[in-house]
Amino acid sequence: MFSLLFAPPNFVDDLLLKLFSQETVNFVVWPFIQIGAVITLIAVWALYASYLERKISAFMQARLGPMRVGKWGLLQPIADAVKLLTKEDLMPERADPYIFRFAPYIAVAATFLTFSVVPFAPNWGVITDVNIGLLLVLAVSSVGVLALILAGWSSNSKYALLGGLRSSAQMVSYEVSMGLSLVGALMFARTLSLSGIVGAQASDSVWFFLYQPLAFAIFFVSGIAENNRAPFDLPEAESELVAGFHTEYSGMRWSLFFMAEYAAMVVVAGVATTVFLGGWYFPGVLRLAGGYNNLYVFLSLFVFVVKCAVLLYLYFWFRWTFPRYRYDQLMDLGWKWLIPASLLNIVWTGLTVFTVQALDGWNNIKTIESLKGAPNLARGLNLTATGKGVAIALGWAGLLVAALFLAAVNWRSRDFNLKKQRRQVRLVDVPKGKPAVATTAATGEG
Amino acid sequence: MHQVEVATTQETLLDNPEMVLNMGPQHPSTHGVLRVILRLDGETVIDLDCDIGFLHRGMEKIAENRLYPMIAPYWDRLDYIAAVSNGLVWVEAVEQMLGLEIPPRAHYIRTILTELNRIASHLLWLATHGLDIGAFTVLLWALREREEILKIFEQQFGARLTCHAWRIGGMPNDAYEGFTEDVQRFVDNFPHRLEEYETLLSENRIWLGRTVGIGVISAEDAIAIGLSGPALRGSGVAWDIRKSRPYAAYADLDFDVPVGENGDTYDRYLVRLEEMRQSRRIVQQALKQLPDGPVNAKIPKVIKPPAGDYYHSIEGPKGEIGCYLVSDGTSRPYRVRVRPPCLINLQALRQMCIGHLVADVVAIIGTLDIVLGEIDR
Amino acid sequence: MPLVKVSQASWKEKLKRFFLFDLLQGMRLTLKYNLGALTDKDSVKGFGIYTEQYPKVRPIVAPRFHGAPRLNMDPETHESLCIACNLCALACPEDCIDVIPMDIEVMVAGKPRKKKVLDEFIFDTSRCMFCALCQEACPTACLELTQEFELATYSRAGFVWNREMLEQGREARKFEA
């Protein structure tokens, strides 16, 4: 198994070619192996993410979390899975039976489909490299909202209905800022292919997070809202709507929603990593692998997983620190803060790219490397060190500009001025009255 | 009580813009078995009504058929979060009717433990209020400090929640060995923990957004409804029975009454936090001045208060909890009436909620700090 | 929605708010707890783990705890200390105690005398409030509420304890870790 890492690049290929033809291997066998591996890994991840979340939240709350099943409770997710699989599958009497049964599968399918274009690692770490990969991610993940609405609607329960309505409004609003925030990064990457975006960052050896700090923040916050995670977990706010859209679900169908939620977290973390944090790229990994292709893939995969894990920790961290937003405040945040900010980001990034290009050749400043041969779009903007410096400086300056812009936009909104409304309590020294004395109360009639 | 019109002819949920939502009695955040019938327009509350009585046990009637010393445990089961305070109303009412002179040591220990109970009750309020608004972590932090208090209760009374803390004429036992050390340790450690809760919530913009301007009630309305405790003080009325009609050892102790300004959820939050600080201050003083001596007065073998009626009330954690006692000179009371702070505070719910969203209803129920054991009795 | 009074915020507060200080300080605290859970051993003052591992680690119950009832016996003669005086049954607010006495003949100074002794003692733990009034009423320190607290049974009948259970203790069912 271990020697597989150092095997020649086409070792498995050779093996497969003995059994199938070249076309079959390329278009059927390999994809199936990759899909199987990814689905298994993501399913296991969804289980263990719940374990991690329980542990992390427990530690934040001075608890231990699951400890009984296996060493340190490590088998707890498996015990949970067995429990959920064997649980009675209840359905409300007057629910719409077909939609009720169908909704969880939409949630799972929509989430898992997005993994098809996420580049986990170079070479065979990519299932498909579609040239509209990013669009596909956005399009497919927004189908997921359908599952929530249908689940809420078909349950024939008022809490579920409210949850479904909330989720539709929330996801539609946050899709906008999520999509718009990616545009800035695309101006640097010049491609919609996710592998191409990683390639652009690798060739520049700069993560787009440095060019686009604002877009990264917007994308991540919108992603949390898109996943219905706290502090934006309104569709399933357990203190208001009992369990929101999945109030009436139990057993396996409920666990499908659960799995979809955790898998969707990985999707957002994975896309954020790919677009803003350089994906599987980390400086020096290629040299470390020393020419062994499989080792290189595995190391890159490791880098990708670590980056995702950092973002997922942020998810947990936010959830266990902040209170929940209210419905109207959530809409405020989306429409009055994130969408203006992402629009501004597009304008600002356009100005940045224009400035960098305009600076080239002026006063002996060289911002763009001269291209040899045909222009290679997958290599992004080909900035020199100076160009990168300018772009990074302007990107971070964009944070300040955005803050001022948002402050101007929201100057009179209630949410912005809350701090002003905060008051201290007064301490009053009330004069002491007559003590309650022991009386001989025998005055009335018995 | 105001009635919500439930009968609407609607084929499906969406045919009528108005929706009637039954919140409770099995809802996770109605703090027990309260049923709130909400009439909603979208998510905005246009009317609401409370349905109570799911936990009715007829405690006042039971009390008519029990000997005086037997009634105290039933008082614990009213506001089970603040059993020590509740027990104190009953025993003090009977003691004062009998004209007993309670030794000062008993008074001081009663004061210390009642104040600790107030802190415990407020901590549970903070925990559940935080949970209602989605701040889960503060729940477990607050319960941890409450646990320290409950450990002291267990050592002292032999029970953690429904303590049966006091007996007519004093206490069942003197303070246990190590009592002062335990209380001192809690008192020393507590401010640092309060800071932590404040770090997490007080300035947090989401918390501010969820609490500032929510559930506003003016001082006039609060007095008119008869609110008491932190719910009244949050509206800016400096009224505290510990000050206006001191009982136990409060006359000798020094403390301030925190008062809010806007009468919103956030002010009540600040008032309760400050009350915990003041309670700590009271405990600290009482511990320093703790006198020696007996803890029990000499009481008659059969307790027969003279015929007549008497009202005694104390400042419980939730508000003024009172006991109106009518005696006919026999060994059983003729009538026992509880002045329930939570039931009266709950009356403000409708006025506070209308015009707000469903999520605010939850926050407002949380800020009223109700316990259904006492509302339903 | 009713508006509340507004006061001007200071520059320092505005700056803090601008840099999300209010959110970051909360996150700093939870991070401290997260790391503290792994390193800090002090749970009362520090960030350590506070919870007890109940069935694995037995809790230390206070000496005064009001738990399962027990009828004490004379340690030397192994006879019940109960004199069937019925005071506990009278003191009980919930009437959950039944003392059933019987008369036996004993020889006192050579003469046969009737003596009331305990025949059967019924204690209904399902109705008990554990208020300890019976314990306080007992003149011979016979009835005592012990520190045993695991009272759950599988049936309602299991809550009614008879004399044998009260004297010998219920068949101990400890939940092994």
Side-chain angles (χ1 to χ4, degrees), chain A residues 437-444, chain B residues 95-100 306-307 309-310:
Chain A
V437 283
T439 51
T440 42
T443 46
Chain B
E95 281 161 6
Q96 295 184 6
M97 220 163 163
L98 286 167
L100 288 179
D309 58 341
Y310 187 67

Side-chain angles (χ1 to χ4, degrees), chain A residues 30-107:
Chain A
W30 262 120
F32 264 100
I33 292 173
Q34 287 170 320
I35 290 168
V38 165
I39 287 187
T40 321
L41 285 176
I42 298 296
V44 171
W45 157 255
L47 285 176
Y48 272 89
S50 74
Y51 171 79
L52 268 183
E53 170 145 42
R54 287 166 75 171
K55 272 291 181 196
I56 286 170
S57 68
F59 288 158
M60 283 179 179
Q61 296 161 352
R63 296 185 287 127
L64 271 173
M67 285 293 281
R68 288 294 148 73
V69 193
K71 178 88 179 157
W72 283 89
L74 271 170
L75 297 177
Q76 183 72 42
I78 293 161
D80 283 347
V82 170
K83 182 204 77 172
L84 287 167
L85 277 168
T86 52
K87 228 175 140 178
E88 188 187 357
D89 185 21
L90 289 169
M91 182 159 50
E93 202 175 334
R94 291 176 64 195
D96 189 325
Y98 302 109
I99 301 178
F100 188 83
R101 290 197 188 109
F102 191 54
Y105 299 112
I106 303 180

